[in-house]
Amino acid sequence: METVTEPRSRRRMTGRERREQLIQISRTLFAEKGFDGTSIEEIAATAQVSKPVVYEHFGGKEGVYAVVVDREMQKLLSMITEALSASHSLIKLERAALALLHYIEESSEGFRILVRDSHAASGTGTFASLISEIASQVEDVLADEFVSRNYDPKLAPMYAQMLVGMVALTGQWWLDVRKPGREEVAAHVVNLAWNGLTGLNPQPAITATGRAHPPVAVPRTSEKELRELEKARDKELKEAEKARQRELKEAEKIRVRELKEREKLLKDAEKAREREEKLRQREARLAERAARLEQIDQAE
C-alpha cells in the first residue's frame, strides 16, 4: 500500500519570504504585548518554525524589533516629508497633521509600537526619536517662515519641538478614542497651531489640502490684513462647504440611481422566476393530463 505523505501543494518558503513572515508576525505581537511581553518562542510558534530559524534571520528578539521599528519610522517619516513638500506653510501643516492621522488609522499596530516606553532595543526611545526626526524637518520650514515675519530664526528649533509634540501627542490620544474623525481632528490641531488660542476659529475645517487654487495669503501683523485674511478664509470655507454639498448630492443621485437599477433587476428576476414557475406548473398539468389519457387508453 502506498505511504500517505503531506500534501505537495504546501510550498516551502524562500529565505526572503520567511523573513517577511517573521517581521509581520513580530509586528503584531509587539503591538499587542510590547517588547518585554513578546518572546522568541511565541514568534517562532506563531510562524510554525523553530527558534533557531528566528535567530538565523535576526540574531534575536532585539534584531527583529529593530527591523520592525525602522520600517515603521521610515514609513511615517516618508509620509510627513511628502506632506512638508507643499509650497504654503498652512498647507504643509494641514497635510502633515492629516498624514500622521492617516498613518495612525491605517497602521495602528505600527504606531502602538513607536509610542511605547523606551527600552534596550530602542535606544533613547522610538517616540522621542520620531519626534526629533520630524522636528528637524519642520525646523527648516519654521525658520523660513520666521524670517519672512521678522522673527528670530534661532527660535525655530524650539517651536518645531512644540508644534510636532502637539500633533504627535494628539495622535497618540486619538489612537484609542478615534473620535471625532481624522479630518476634523486635523482641522482642530491646525486651528490651534495656526491661529493660537486668542484667534481660534469656532468651526475649523481643512480647506487647502490637495486643492489646485492658490492658498490663502500669509497673515501679517496689521489688523486690516488679518480681517482680510479672515474674510478670505470664510469665503474658502463656504466654497468648500458648497463643493462638499455638491459632492454629497451627486453621491446621493448615484446611490438612488443604483438602488433603482438594483430594484429593477430584482423585479426582473422575480418576473422571470414567476414565469418559470408558471411554466413548470403548466408542464406538470400537461404531464398529469397525459398520464390520465394513457390510463383511459389502457382501460379501453
Side-chain angles (χ1 to χ4, degrees), residues 23 39 41 45 82 106 134 159 221 239 258 266 272 275 288-289 291 299:
I23 291 173
S39 64
E41 289 83 357
E82 183 178 356
E106 300 298 326
I134 298 175
Y159 276 85
T221 55
E239 291 175 352
E258 290 176 346
L266 289 173
R275 285 195 298 269
E288 185 180 350
R289 182 180 178 185

Side-chain angles (χ1 to χ4, degrees), residues 64-74 113-114 121-122 126:
V64 67
Y65 184 86
V67 172
V68 170
V69 169
D70 183 68
R71 278 194 176 188
E72 295 303 322
M73 288 192 67
Q74 292 304 317
I113 294 171
L114 294 180
S122 63
T126 55

Side-chain angles (χ1 to χ4, degrees), residues 13 15 26 55 84 94 107 113 121 124 147 151 160 173 196 205 227 241 259 266 268 270 278 283 291-292:
M13 286 188 179
S26 300
Y55 286 112
L84 293 175
E94 287 180 334
S107 303
I113 294 171
T124 58
V147 170
Y151 295 163
W173 162 80
R227 287 194 299 270
E241 180 60 23
L259 285 174
L266 289 173
D268 292 343
E270 181 64 21
K278 288 179 180 179
E283 290 175 347
R292 286 200 304 269

Side-chain angles (χ1 to χ4, degrees), residues 3-214:
T3 304
V4 178
T5 60
E6 289 187 16
R8 294 186 178 182
S9 59
R10 185 178 179 182
R11 183 176 65 84
R12 184 182 179 85
M13 286 188 179
T14 64
R16 180 177 297 180
E17 290 172 339
R18 179 65 71 189
R19 178 182 173 85
E20 186 63 28
Q21 180 206 29
L22 293 171
I23 291 173
Q24 294 303 320
I25 288 173
S26 300
R27 180 179 184 268
T28 299
L29 291 173
F30 287 139
E32 291 177 354
K33 302 182 177 184
F35 177 82
D36 295 330
T38 302
S39 64
I40 286 291
E41 289 83 357
E42 189 171 11
I43 295 172
T46 306
Q48 297 183 343
V49 297
S50 61
K51 289 194 294 182
V53 174
V54 182
Y55 286 112
E56 178 184 354
H57 282 279
F58 302 102
K61 186 171 68 170
E62 291 79 6
V64 67
Y65 184 86
V67 172
V68 170
V69 169
D70 183 68
R71 278 194 176 188
E72 295 303 322
M73 288 192 67
Q74 292 304 317
K75 180 179 180 180
L76 179 54
L77 286 173
S78 66
M79 293 172 69
I80 299 296
T81 301
E82 183 178 356
L84 293 175
S85 64
S87 59
H88 190 276
S89 297
L90 177 58
I91 301 177
K92 289 178 181 179
L93 182 57
E94 287 180 334
R95 289 183 177 176
L98 283 171
L100 175 62
L101 295 175
H102 177 73
Y103 169 79
I104 293 172
E105 196 171 55
E106 300 298 326
S107 303
S108 297
E109 289 184 345
F111 193 70
R112 287 186 190 281
I113 294 171
L114 294 180
V115 300
R116 289 190 184 276
D117 295 336
S118 61
H119 42 67
S122 63
T124 58
T126 55
F127 196 42
S129 300
L130 177 66
I131 291 178
S132 179
E133 287 278 354
I134 298 175
S136 65
Q137 299 185 47
V138 175
E139 179 180 328
D140 295 331
V141 175
L142 290 180
D144 294 337
E145 190 72 12
F146 279 17
V147 170
S148 68
R149 294 168 179 269
N150 296 322
Y151 295 163
D152 186 358
K154 293 181 180 179
L155 298 174
M158 179 176 67
Y159 276 85
Q161 291 287 338
M162 295 176 185
L163 181 59
V164 174
M166 178 180 71
V167 177
L169 286 173
T170 301
Q172 189 175 3
W173 162 80
W174 189 71
L175 173 65
D176 293 318
V177 298
R178 296 299 176 94
K179 289 181 181 181
R182 178 176 68 195
E183 188 164 311
E184 186 177 350
V185 173
H188 283 284
V189 169
V190 173
N191 187 27
L192 177 60
W194 189 260
N195 296 321
L197 286 173
T198 58
L200 281 180
N201 185 337
Q203 294 181 327
I206 297 297
T207 58
T209 305
R211 298 188 178 279
H213 58 266

